[in-house]
Amino acid sequence: MKQTLSELMRMSRICRMIFATCLGSFILVLFYFQIMRRNPFVDGCCRKGSRNALRELYDPTQPELSGMAVLHQARRDQVVDSCRVYSASSHKRRVLTPGDLKHLVVDEDHELIYCYVPKVACTNWKRVMMVLTGRGKYSDPMEIPSNEAHIPSNLKTLNQYSIAEINHRLKNYLKFLFVREPFERLVSAYRNKFTLKYNSSFHKRFGTRIVRRYRKNATQDALLNGADVKFKEFAEYLVDPATQRDGPLNEHWQTVYQLCHPCHIHYDLVGKYETLEEDANYVLRLVGIGDSLRFPSYAKSTRTTDVMTAQFFSNISSHQQIQLYQLYKLDFLMFNYSTPSYLRMDY
């Protein structure tokens, strides 16, 4: 009798546990659908779908994607050919480490890897990647403050994975980057980091060092604050062998070759700043979300132009111009940018 009563009590406890589990599951399902109903963006924009951007790029099913596929094949070929020439002429052989991959942002849901290059619309691209990876947290890229887009923890980068996970993603995810005419990017970086008052951290970190090394009879204020660095001094700093010995250049004026390693990583898409919106929206169409998410427009009135770049380069010597060209030569060649007409190469 006691055994039967004990078994009944045990069965009763099991039934109560099963009931509680079922009830909890039911509540979770109800909660999930409430969230989905409140946030239709989760359903409409950036959920992971059956579409594979990598497969769509190399075997487009939509006619309007075919013409762009041909263009990007030509850009890939240009990079491969330049890397082959460079490899043949260079005795340096290098194997990438996870530390080299900190600029490669990963979107697991859409199987994308984006290598960000500062001064090539990277703030807006980071905003877009936050929308893509946010699973409904964000819907409009421009609602994300620019400083929030640059918080490292908001996006996952490839160096955070194991070696096996890195290799899997490099093989199976669509990899893309955006580039810009190298000297326009350089002048843009100079204008942003050394001529605007709010960038005092750059003035202190780099400006004071540049003034101390390259300005004769510098004032105490200039030595202390480094807030008035001239482009000629900045150019002198970049080509100085001592700068190379100090370590890698800051990401804002480091070469794309060193930031994204295009001779070691096969990029499927090379977008250009000069055709930014067209190329960016092509990426989004490949992913299958081009109808619900568009790349933000940028302010053309403030951008650094070719004319503006020529003016800055007119203030430095022919020797410095040649040295700077040698520093960024691979970026010119790989991404098919012609030698600027304003350069004085007769030194």
Side-chain angles (χ1 to χ4, degrees):
M1 185 72 176
K2 287 183 178 179
Q3 186 176 1
T4 303
L5 183 62
S6 175
E7 287 178 358
L8 285 172
M9 290 177 67
R10 186 164 61 85
M11 290 295 294
S12 177
R13 283 198 300 272
I14 292 172
C15 288
R16 285 199 301 270
M17 288 173 64
I18 293 172
F19 176 75
T21 302
C22 291
L23 182 62
S25 300
F26 179 69
I27 291 170
L28 281 173
V29 169
L30 280 178
F31 179 72
Y32 172 78
F33 280 106
Q34 283 290 325
I35 293 293
M36 290 288 286
R37 191 173 65 182
R38 288 178 195 169
N39 195 350
F41 177 75
V42 176
D43 186 53
C45 173
C46 301
R47 279 190 314 171
K48 183 174 180 178
S50 59
R51 186 161 180 170
N52 181 282
L54 192 62
R55 187 167 57 246
E56 191 67 38
L57 171 66
Y58 291 104
D59 186 21
T61 58
Q62 299 179 45
E64 68 269 18
L65 298 180
S66 300
M68 292 293 286
V70 172
L71 169 66
H72 284 280
Q73 180 63 58
R75 290 179 181 177
R76 284 193 298 274
D77 291 344
Q78 177 73 25
V79 173
V80 170
D81 291 345
S82 299
C83 288
R84 189 180 296 118
V85 171
Y86 175 71
S87 177
S89 63
S90 174
H91 299 294
K92 297 179 181 179
R93 293 291 181 271
R94 199 174 159 224
V95 177
L96 294 185
T97 66
D100 294 313
L101 307 175
K102 61 185 179 181
H103 273 248
L104 278 72
V105 177
V106 181
D107 171 9
E108 292 290 356
D109 285 349
H110 303 92
E111 299 184 344
L112 296 175
I113 295 176
Y114 159 60
C115 184
Y116 72 88
V117 179
K119 308 313 299 174
V120 192
C122 82
T123 300
N124 279 349
W125 258 118
K126 285 183 177 181
R127 285 168 164 151
V128 169
M129 294 297 283
M130 286 175 70
V131 172
L132 291 175
T133 59
R135 300 188 178 183
K137 184 178 180 181
Y138 308 102
S139 59
D140 181 358
M142 294 312 290
E143 288 180 354
I144 302 172
S146 59
N147 63 315
E148 193 172 327
H150 294 292
I151 297 173
S153 60
N154 282 336
L155 290 166
K156 194 166 186 179
T157 49
L158 197 58
N159 61 308
Q160 297 172 258
Y161 293 83
S162 69
I163 299 296
E165 290 171 332
I166 288 171
N167 288 332
H168 171 77
R169 282 155 182 77
L170 287 176
K171 182 179 179 181
N172 295 288
Y173 288 15
L174 185 142
K175 302 165 294 296
F176 69 99
L177 76 162
F178 273 71
V179 300
R180 183 178 185 177
E181 201 279 344
F183 286 165
E184 282 188 26
R185 176 176 168 248
L186 181 64
V187 170
S188 178
Y190 165 77
R191 291 177 65 213
N192 181 255
K193 302 305 176 187
F194 293 108
T195 68
L196 301 177
K197 291 182 179 180
Y198 69 79
N199 268 323
S200 56
S201 61
F202 271 82
H203 304 162
K204 288 280 188 181
R205 184 179 174 189
F206 297 101
T208 52
R209 188 188 312 170
I210 291 171
V211 169
R212 186 169 61 250
R213 284 185 184 177
Y214 310 111
R215 186 178 302 179
K216 295 179 180 178
N217 304 317
T219 65
Q220 283 301 310
D221 183 65
L223 289 168
L224 184 64
N225 297 308
D228 62 341
V229 170
K230 306 295 185 289
F231 185 72
K232 183 177 184 299
E233 295 167 335
F234 179 54
E236 204 167 346
Y237 163 76
L238 290 174
V239 300
D240 189 342
T243 302
Q244 304 297 324
R245 291 194 296 270
D246 289 343
L249 295 176
N250 178 268
E251 62 178 12
H252 290 85
W253 43 85
Q254 179 61 283
T255 63
V256 178
Y257 172 76
Q258 292 287 358
L259 290 176
C260 296
H261 313 286
C263 287
H264 294 81
I265 296 171
H266 174 78
Y267 285 94
D268 304 290
L269 283 172
V270 177
K272 293 200 169 187
Y273 188 77
E274 294 76 15
T275 51
L276 175 61
E277 289 186 51
E278 182 182 3
D279 291 345
N281 288 317
Y282 174 58
V283 175
L284 298 178
R285 289 204 306 277
L286 286 172
V287 173
I289 56 172
D291 293 333
S292 53
L293 178 63
R294 303 289 291 174
F295 192 81
S297 299
Y298 62 100
K300 295 183 181 181
S301 59
T302 59
R303 63 164 288 189
T304 300
T305 64
D306 180 63
V307 173
M308 196 181 297
T309 302
Q311 291 174 341
F312 277 94
F313 269 73
S314 68
N315 295 319
I316 63 176
S317 68
S318 299
H319 182 51
Q320 282 184 320
Q321 289 184 8
I322 293 170
Q323 286 180 304
L324 283 175
Y325 182 77
Q326 290 302 318
L327 181 61
Y328 292 94
K329 185 176 181 178
L330 266 178
D331 283 4
F332 275 100
L333 297 177
M334 277 187 190
F335 307 118
N336 203 26
Y337 288 107
S338 57
T339 305
S341 59
Y342 54 77
L343 284 192
R344 303 190 300 276
M345 306 293 277
D346 53 351
Y347 174 77

